[in-house]
Amino acid sequence: MIIADPHFQDSRVFSKHPVGLGTRLREFFIRLNVRKSWNAVSQLNPQIVIVLGDMLDQGRAIMTDDEYERYYQHFQNTFKHDASVKFVYVTGNHDVGFVSLSSLAHPRQARRRFRQRFGPEQQVFEFGNHSFVAIDAPGLVDEDYRRNAEEVDFESWQGAKAGPIAFVKGIKAKPPPSDKPAILLTHIPLARPNTASCGPQREGPRGIHRGAGYGFQNLLGKETTHFILQAVKPVLVFSGDDHDYCDYVHRNPSNSGGDIREVSIRTFSMAEGVRRPGFHLLSLYTPTGGMPRRADIPCLLPDQKHTYTFVYFPFFLLTVAYIAYINATLMQGGGRGSSAPASSTAAGSSRGVHLQPIRTSSAMEPPLTPTHLSVRRTPSYSNFGNLTPRSRPSSRPASPLLGPSSGLPSRDDEDTVITNASYFPPSPLLTSAVPFAEPDEMEEGLLPPSTLAPPSPRMRPRTASMSSQTGSGGGLKKWLKDGDNARHGWRRTASLFLDSMHLRMPQKGGGPTSAMGALASSMERIWLRVVKDLVQTAWPPLLVVSFVWWRLLSW
């Protein structure tokens, strides 16, 4: 099996600056896709896996040895395999960088780390009665620039003893046996005309063009390609770096044997500019009494962007639609957990009006107003004296802050009798209408509006009728608290949440904060409320979506 350009990304381990949420999510899905792809292709049980460079997307970046070690371990944890499977790694420009093309780190450090973790930069090994020749393409580019600067040909060049050019010369001096033909492995493709076609399996509209830039070079030089093909004499060439598939046939420079076919492998990552990543399968066999033979085929991986667009996103929309439908149904049915409305008073019945008992925030505070006021309606409430009492004592004592009979007579005209109770003016601590426990039982016109004092800011409504009211500071808190008491319809929930956007909370140093600051301070509670709503109202689609995600993520 041949894999090219995994470009494993994990900038958390070496970034000198905090990694943004967008970068974390993008890299998470890239790593997730690489792991899924490897879990799938590893089921083919290959005997050997060849990776044609660019294992680590930032392997050449400036980092410490400990950071590089964590980066490498994350890569190994993604590509888990049995010890019996042999892995061969080829150097790529993202692994060791270039000297001549201003790479992002000093190549000596990157190459040292590569040798320690991935193995030698260039090597020859035998497998399946074939000789595989893996060259150091980035190092060959650097040495070729120095050779051209000195205007020396390859035969006269005296470079480093263990350099890429010396390695190729060594293969030319001691070629592989004729019964074990050579297969060339290089990260950078060999030179070709710009008009060369790459075959019908390529996604891009054109072939591989020559080009070089900051830390990359698309093709090896023409002279370098001629030098390699003439020295190695390969029967097949595999390359990477381009990220797209390309099948090209080179003319044999030695005029001996057939033409040389080169296959550029698709990238193994979903984030490298191709819609469908891929890999390559190579089969090597030797018939009895014959020469070694080989067969290869490109393999495509799923279009992950299509999966996100036409699988994940539709299920998300179905979940949202189901939640909206359930909440709308609950809203029409009154919602779960909502209290039944109080029974209305029969027409003509003489029932007293009962004021809700006022509970103060502290046991040390005295009651603020009388708790029961039993009266009966007369044809007109414009005259406060037209009240007829019901002889029932008050169930709670009057306010000790005010003296008895201060402001209201104990007996008025002949139509008004007040007995067995002491009445006082409204408490100065109350600023708005007193809340009633049973508003449906209140008879209109029973008391003049001026006698009803507004509720204290310390009061907390107890009944379902008061819990539905919204105040200037209750938006976000009420939206969070409603999840524990009763379920509203989705319109009601949205209204409460929008009301919370106008919330202003005081800072410690004084001055209002923005609504976003208030939301941020309660973000944990908001998420708990959202999760609770999802679990309670949308568990069937969540169960289906969880199963689909589990199958897709563990594939």
Side-chain angles (χ1 to χ4, degrees):
M1 179 183 295
I2 305 175
I3 295 175
D5 303 280
H7 283 274
F8 187 77
Q9 301 185 21
D10 195 353
S11 58
R12 301 171 300 173
V13 299
F14 63 87
S15 178
K16 307 303 180 185
H17 304 283
V19 181
L21 178 61
T23 302
R24 286 178 177 268
L25 290 176
R26 182 179 62 84
E27 292 184 350
F28 167 77
F29 282 104
I30 292 173
R31 293 193 301 269
L32 177 65
N33 175 256
V34 171
R35 184 174 70 248
K36 289 167 47 182
S37 300
W38 172 247
N39 291 340
V41 303
S42 61
Q43 303 300 319
L44 300 175
N45 299 320
Q47 295 177 297
I48 184 174
V49 178
I50 300 173
V51 186
L52 295 176
D54 285 357
M55 281 73 68
L56 304 179
D57 187 67
Q58 297 294 333
R60 62 189 178 183
I62 299 175
M63 66 183 79
T64 63
D65 291 342
D66 292 338
E67 292 172 342
Y68 189 89
E69 178 64 24
R70 292 197 301 269
Y71 198 1
Y72 170 77
Q73 290 300 330
H74 291 176
F75 173 83
Q76 291 294 333
N77 292 337
T78 300
F79 288 88
K80 294 181 178 180
H81 58 277
D82 297 335
S84 59
V85 180
K86 182 180 179 180
F87 266 69
V88 177
Y89 300 100
V90 180
T91 56
N93 58 303
H94 282 259
D95 301 314
V96 297
F98 292 106
V99 175
S100 55
L101 297 176
S102 302
S103 60
L104 301 179
H106 200 286
R108 291 183 180 178
Q109 295 290 339
R111 288 184 176 276
R112 176 182 58 83
R113 294 165 180 163
F114 183 92
R115 288 192 297 266
Q116 291 176 351
R117 299 305 175 197
F118 293 104
E121 301 155 297
Q122 48 201 8
Q123 58 182 314
V124 179
F125 62 93
E126 295 182 359
F127 182 82
N129 291 330
H130 285 73
S131 298
F132 287 83
V133 180
I135 65 173
D136 179 13
L140 186 60
V141 169
D142 284 333
E143 194 169 5
D144 194 22
Y145 274 105
R146 296 196 302 269
R147 181 193 63 83
N148 282 326
E150 297 185 14
E151 298 181 354
V152 179
D153 58 13
F154 283 99
E155 298 299 331
S156 304
W157 172 252
Q158 299 296 328
K161 293 183 179 180
I165 294 180
F167 175 78
V168 176
K169 286 182 178 180
I171 295 176
K172 183 178 181 180
K174 189 180 179 180
S178 59
D179 58 342
K180 295 182 179 180
I183 296 179
L184 179 64
L185 304 176
T186 173
H187 177 69
I188 303 176
L190 303 181
R192 67 201 63 188
N194 287 337
T195 58
S197 174
C198 286
Q201 298 193 42
R202 184 176 178 85
E203 287 187 11
R206 65 178 190 174
I208 305 176
H209 285 208
R210 290 177 294 179
Y214 189 78
F216 76 93
Q217 180 168 313
N218 294 339
L219 296 172
L220 295 176
K222 185 176 180 180
E223 294 183 3
T224 307
T225 299
H226 186 274
F227 168 69
I228 294 173
L229 294 179
Q230 193 173 31
V232 179
K233 296 181 175 61
V235 295
L236 187 61
V237 179
F238 289 106
S239 62
D241 188 64
D242 185 62
H243 301 164
D244 203 349
Y245 184 82
C246 186
D247 196 330
Y248 180 74
V249 178
H250 297 273
R251 187 179 300 274
N252 195 327
S254 61
N255 295 324
S256 61
D259 294 334
I260 303 172
R261 176 170 170 255
E262 178 185 358
V263 178
S264 296
I265 311 300
R266 285 175 178 262
T267 178
F268 201 70
S269 173
M270 62 172 286
E272 299 304 320
V274 294
R275 184 173 56 87
R276 300 195 64 177
F279 60 100
H280 212 80
L281 289 179
L282 175 64
S283 178
L284 306 174
Y285 65 99
T286 303
T288 303
M291 292 295 293
R293 298 183 181 180
R294 60 209 156 268
D296 63 278
I297 184 173
C299 303
L300 298 178
L301 294 171
D303 184 356
Q304 196 65 30
K305 294 180 181 179
H306 182 275
T307 302
Y308 286 136
T309 305
F310 295 98
V311 178
Y312 295 166
F313 187 66
F315 269 97
F316 172 76
L317 293 182
L318 288 176
T319 303
V320 173
Y322 182 82
I323 294 174
Y325 170 76
I326 290 298
N327 280 274
T329 304
L330 292 175
M331 181 187 66
Q332 294 176 1
R336 285 187 288 175
S338 60
S339 59
S343 59
S344 59
T345 304
S349 63
S350 60
R351 291 189 179 183
V353 176
H354 300 278
L355 298 179
Q356 175 67 21
I358 298 176
R359 299 181 182 271
T360 60
S361 59
S362 174
M364 301 299 297
E365 297 180 7
L368 301 180
T369 59
T371 55
H372 289 278
L373 181 63
S374 301
V375 295
R376 185 173 56 196
R377 181 178 179 182
T378 59
S380 173
Y381 62 83
S382 59
N383 185 3
F384 184 61
N386 295 333
L387 297 176
T388 303
R390 296 180 63 185
S391 60
R392 185 171 68 179
S394 173
S395 62
R396 289 183 180 268
S399 173
L401 301 179
L402 302 174
S405 303
S406 57
L408 289 179
S410 60
R411 182 174 184 85
D412 201 350
D413 55 24
E414 59 182 2
D415 295 330
T416 303
V417 180
I418 303 177
T419 60
N420 298 329
S422 298
Y423 293 91
F424 308 95
S427 172
L429 300 180
L430 299 181
T431 58
S432 62
V434 176
F436 291 95
E438 296 177 353
D440 292 336
E441 295 181 2
M442 184 179 65
E443 298 180 350
E444 182 180 3
L446 188 60
L447 293 175
S450 60
T451 64
L452 297 180
S456 170
R458 302 177 183 179
M459 297 174 53
R460 294 185 179 180
R462 296 180 53 196
T463 60
S465 61
M466 290 303 299
S467 66
S468 64
Q469 299 178 6
T470 58
S472 61
L476 178 61
K477 294 182 180 179
K478 188 170 298 297
W479 182 77
L480 295 172
K481 187 176 180 181
D482 285 340
D484 301 329
N485 300 331
R487 177 165 303 283
H488 298 285
W490 65 273
R491 294 180 180 176
R492 175 62 177 159
T493 302
S495 176
L496 291 174
F497 184 77
L498 292 178
D499 289 342
S500 71
M501 297 300 293
H502 301 285
L503 181 64
R504 296 294 185 270
M505 297 181 64
Q507 294 179 340
K508 294 182 179 180
T513 61
S514 64
M516 296 307 297
L519 294 179
S521 64
S522 303
M523 187 59 65
E524 182 178 357
R525 295 183 60 199
I526 292 175
W527 279 112
L528 290 176
R529 169 70 190 279
V530 172
V531 171
K532 183 177 179 181
D533 283 356
L534 290 176
V535 172
Q536 289 183 351
T537 65
W539 64 267
L542 284 178
L543 184 63
V544 175
V545 171
S546 300
F547 175 77
V548 173
W549 273 78
W550 173 72
R551 292 301 302 167
L552 291 175
L553 299 183
S554 62
W555 167 65

